[in-house]
Amino acid sequence: MNFGVIRRRPRLSVLLLLIAVLLGWVWQERVALWAFPDIISAYTAKEYCSCRYVENNPADYCQAYVKQYVPISGFLDDAPNKRVTASGMGRSHTAVWLGARQGCRLTP
């Protein structure tokens, strides 16, 4: 086997090796990576609903509590119906307060 190419272009060889390793990792974690966009909006809706309507905290406190590194693109707090909708990364989820004993639940 001729390793002359590696000796002549070591940076390119390392770059190609890193790309191959990255692609292998992405393939192995494809299910988790595919689910990631849903997690952002579902977490925000559910946790805000719980913070606001189960724990009865003020809205500004709960906004800060659910703030994440990945921003959400849309947020709606329907206070009269105790329903929270959050959108982010192309996905949208709604959580609704069911009662004192049940708390909040994501709606299908």
Side-chain angles (χ1 to χ4, degrees), residues 24-40:
W25 176 80
V26 166
W27 180 255
Q28 183 176 352
E29 299 294 331
R30 67 190 179 279
V31 174
L33 291 170
W34 189 259
F36 181 72
D38 277 318
I39 294 169
I40 299 301

Side-chain angles (χ1 to χ4, degrees), residues 57-70:
N57 289 314
D60 57 342
Y61 172 82
C62 294
Q63 282 281 356
Y65 176 73
V66 299
K67 187 174 172 132
Q68 302 175 56
Y69 180 74
V70 178

